[in-house]
């Protein structure tokens, strides 16, 4: 594990190198470190990528391109395959140790926590070596001479490791999905020709519950039907044609964690709005309405200042559980720059963080798919996503509360039997991205990857049944 130790770089040491660490106080200065964190990537993945870079550098044969020597390339691929697998096995053992420490309540002492300070909770074992073998067969990672194991390679290996665990250790009972970029393209709708629909119907036929946890916050069921009509119509048709024998257990959690709608085959738009007081978690009942509106008031004030200071062509949109800025009417296709949107998120986050209601009520401040920040328990998380969207919003709660609400609605499903599929997992705070607090997760980068992920889940399930 010598390479592992050398490859591990703590956030603090990174901050020292970048001049963001105040040696006189031992603290990282907030404005600078916040912007530094915006550029960081998932620390566990980056750490594993650093480990795999060592055998790539030592054993790749880029000069073999000039020679007719297939034996050299075969030997290179065999050696790299063996070394990569060994490293993934070592990391798997570290995660097993971390899980053992979790059970004793001493996870802060695990070696993995020492090497990757941001690592969070593992709900299941991760079969990393076997997952690498699975992905190497498909992506030919070991055969590459010029491109080392990439961020995406490792992201997909982690996804496979999670799916292998879910199909072996316990039957998966609940799958939750993000909307944009996960089920359909950003800003689009789930139309009837989307291939993910058949995969979700297959899950329902197997008795798996489905939750869609989305930032879209509507109080009208018809608005959700507009976004998800392809799936809802397909479920209705499956019931009519006896492909589903009973009403499937499907819910939508909108506004991150604020509106719950249940599939109802006899309701208009196939959705029935469920009053909040009937499904809220006990912790959410402690959120006083006065504090919620006070937080939104503070957020609105901060956003108005951003509009004024940066002379944005935007206007305020206030909802009962959210507030944001959207392009002003009549601006056409004119967009606010990404940097302006990020500035608005950072300013609003900082204002809320030091406010009285911001210390009482969990919230999420985000810019479409570009940047997302949450505050929970006094600790800030900053997320960077692919560019997109042209607005900034502050929501009450976040997706961890949304997933937890789905679990409770379906009778108290454990995090180890829940899979959340989403595209926004780049994290740079002390904790992992918020959905990881509630359950196992799979990180996808497009709707096509969601389809491939569900096919892989089915493949592993079938292989497990055949044993």
């Amino acid at each position: 594990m010598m390479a592992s130790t050398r490859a591990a770089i703590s956030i603090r040491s990174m901050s020292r190198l970048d001049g963001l660490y105040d040696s006189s106080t031992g603290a990282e200065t907030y404005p600078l470190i916040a912007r530094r964190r915006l550029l960081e990537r998932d620390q566990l993945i980056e750490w594993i990528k650093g480990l795999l870079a060592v055998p790539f550098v030592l054993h790749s044969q880029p000069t073999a391109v000039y020679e007719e020597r297939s034996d050299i390339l075969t030997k290179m691929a065999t050696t790299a395959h063996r070394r990569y697998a060994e490293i993934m096995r070592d990391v798997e053992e570290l995660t097993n140790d971390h899980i053992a420490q979790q059970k004793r309540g001493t996870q802060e002492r695990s070696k993995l926590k020492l090497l990757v300070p941001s690592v969070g909770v593992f709900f299941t074992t991760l079969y990393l070596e076997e997952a690498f073998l699975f992905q190497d067969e498909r992506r030919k990672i070991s055969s590459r001479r010029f491109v080392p194991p990439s961020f995406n390679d490792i992201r997909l290996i982690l996804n496979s490791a999670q799916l292998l665990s879910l199909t072996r250790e316990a039957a998966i009972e609940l799958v939750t999905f993000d909307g944009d970029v996960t089920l359909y393209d950003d800003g689009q709708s789930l139309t009837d020709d989307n291939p993910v629909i058949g995969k979700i119907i297959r899950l329902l036929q197997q008795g798996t519950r489905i939750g869609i946890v989305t930032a879209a916050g509507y109080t009208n069921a018809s608005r959700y039907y507009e976004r998800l009509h392809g799936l809802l119509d397909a479920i209705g048709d499956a019931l009519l044609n006896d492909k589903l024998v009973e009403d499937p257990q499907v819910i939508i959690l909108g506004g991150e964690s604020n509106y719950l709608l249940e599939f109802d085959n006899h309701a208009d738009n196939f959705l029935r709005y469920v009053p909040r007081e009937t499904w809220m978690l006990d912790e959410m009942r402690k959120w006083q309405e006065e504090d919620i509106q006070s937080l939104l008031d503070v957020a609105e004030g901060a956003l108005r200042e951003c509009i004024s200071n940066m002379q944005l062509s935007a206007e305020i949109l206030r909802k009962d559980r959210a507030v944001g800025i959207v392009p002003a009417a009549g601006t056409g296709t004119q967009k606010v720059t990404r940097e302006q949107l990020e500035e608005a998120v950072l300013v609003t986050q900082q204002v809320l963080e030091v406010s009285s209601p911001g210390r009482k009520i969990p919230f999420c401040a985000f810019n479409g798919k570009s940047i997302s920040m949450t505050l929970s328990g006094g600790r800030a998380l900053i997320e960077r996503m692919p560019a997109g969207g042209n607005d900034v919003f502050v929501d009450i709660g976040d997706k961890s509360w949304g997933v937890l609400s789905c679990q409770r609605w379906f009778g108290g499903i454990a995090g180890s039997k829940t899979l959340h599929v989403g595209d926004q997992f780049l994290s740079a705070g002390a904790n992992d991205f918020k959905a990881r607090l509630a359950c196992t997760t799979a990180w996808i980068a497009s709707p096509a990857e969601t389809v491939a992920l569900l096919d892989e889940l089915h493949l592993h399930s079938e292989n497990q049944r055949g044993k």
Side-chain angles (χ1 to χ4, degrees), residues 286-299:
K286 299 176 184 177
W287 304 348
Q288 298 298 314
E289 187 63 27
E290 180 180 357
D291 292 329
I292 290 173
Q293 295 307 317
S294 293
L295 186 145
L296 295 177
D297 288 341
V298 174

Side-chain angles (χ1 to χ4, degrees), residues 366-410:
F366 61 95
N367 155 33
K369 300 294 180 185
S370 290
I371 175 174
S372 175
M373 303 179 65
T374 65
L375 187 71
S376 180
R379 307 185 76 175
L381 303 179
I382 307 174
E383 313 293 334
R384 181 143 187 150
M385 293 78 172
N390 196 31
D391 52 30
V392 171
F393 267 91
V394 175
D395 284 337
I396 299 300
D398 57 49
K399 285 193 179 178
S400 68
W401 295 101
V403 174
L404 288 169
S405 297
C406 290
Q407 291 169 337
R408 183 190 176 190
W409 177 261
F410 290 123

Side-chain angles (χ1 to χ4, degrees), residues 86-129:
E86 289 172 350
I87 288 172
M88 297 310 294
R89 182 167 63 248
D90 288 340
V91 177
E92 183 178 326
E93 291 175 357
L94 287 174
T95 62
N96 290 338
D97 170 70
H98 186 81
I99 292 170
Q101 298 276 13
Q102 279 178 193
K103 293 177 179 178
R104 293 193 292 267
T106 57
Q107 59 267 29
E108 296 297 324
R109 304 177 190 174
S110 79
K111 186 174 182 180
L112 184 61
K113 187 73 172 179
L114 176 65
L115 296 171
V116 188
S118 68
V119 73
V121 174
F122 291 98
F123 289 90
T124 66
T125 303
L126 292 179
Y127 296 99
L128 291 170
E129 182 183 9

